[in-house]
Amino acid sequence: MGAPTGPPPGRLAGGTPRAALAELLTGNRRFVSGQPVHGHDVTAAAAAASGDQQPYAVVLGCIDSRVPLEAIFDQTFGAICVIRTGGHVLDRAVCGSIEYVVGQLGVPLVLVLGHERCGAVGAAVDALRTGERPGGSLAHLVDEIAPAVLDAGVDDPAVHPLAIRRHVRRTVHTLRADDLLAGPVAAGRVDVVGGLYDLATGEVALLEGP
């Protein structure tokens, strides 16, 4: 594969929340069109060439194996920080990691990415409908997603896709109110946005509204 012709990795491709988001969405369009710049360049040499870490965005997504975040945004080594948990559920480690990336690395954008047919959201729907809370730490995932399911309406036939969107928005709102993120967000230096990945098309759509 020849040398990448797209924008350089890291903050050179970002700098502001708007520019960072534009670069992510441009990468997703390359991915959807089947013309990625970085998607197949996974050699050790490419990793070594990434230089110092200067990411321009952090993406919080689900662990679903069908949603490889660097690939769907066509990003190379050093360009984005990735955090993945079941149903992109937050905990102190996740929040601390995002605070570090924003505060210490100067990243201007946090993207929370949900996806269609999310199994973690499905588990929360099932638990609330049956009244059978799962054991172990899976119960934590269910408990964190349950408010979105309740907001969507447990008995609504479309509760699953509705809850996925509600859960993304709730996660965005929680991060925007984070003690170390609220100030930079209010000042416009950082933005936290939500998106949804379509498993059928590979497209990422931004979520607007409450």
Side-chain angles (χ1 to χ4, degrees):
M1 180 176 178
T5 58
R11 286 200 298 273
L12 294 177
T16 68
R18 178 176 294 184
L21 184 58
E23 168 57 18
L24 278 181
L25 297 179
T26 297
N28 180 241
R29 287 193 291 272
R30 293 195 302 266
F31 169 75
V32 172
S33 70
Q35 298 177 321
V37 172
H38 305 293
H40 303 291
D41 191 8
V42 293
T43 64
S50 63
D52 294 336
Q53 181 176 207
Q54 291 190 329
Y56 69 87
V58 55
V59 181
L60 170 61
C62 184
I63 60 171
D64 195 295
S65 61
R66 299 166 295 180
V67 193
L69 298 177
E70 289 91 345
I72 66 173
F73 289 111
D74 188 32
Q75 298 299 304
T76 189
F77 294 93
I80 62 174
C81 292
V82 167
I83 303 172
R84 299 177 68 171
T85 65
H88 55 80
V89 164
L90 297 173
D91 60 20
R92 291 185 67 187
V94 172
C95 290
S97 299
I98 294 173
E99 290 170 355
Y100 172 80
V101 171
V102 170
Q104 299 299 314
L105 301 183
V107 167
L109 179 72
V110 181
L111 172 63
V112 178
L113 188 68
H115 67 92
E116 303 288 1
R117 305 200 300 275
C118 178
V121 174
V125 171
D126 291 342
L128 289 170
R129 281 182 168 175
T130 64
E132 297 179 2
R133 186 171 180 265
S137 296
L138 177 57
H140 173 70
L141 293 185
V142 167
D143 290 345
E144 292 298 305
I145 298 171
V149 178
L150 294 172
D151 285 349
V154 176
D155 296 324
D156 191 313
V159 62
H160 195 171
L162 289 173
I164 289 170
R165 289 157 175 77
R166 294 288 182 94
H167 181 50
V168 170
R169 293 185 176 108
R170 287 177 62 89
T171 306
V172 168
H173 292 162
T174 298
L175 287 173
R176 282 178 160 267
D178 178 273
D179 288 344
L180 297 185
L181 300 180
V185 168
R189 297 192 304 271
V190 174
D191 201 4
V192 184
V193 300
L196 190 70
Y197 178 72
D198 190 321
L199 294 172
T201 66
E203 292 182 290
V204 171
L206 297 181
L207 294 182
E208 305 292 344

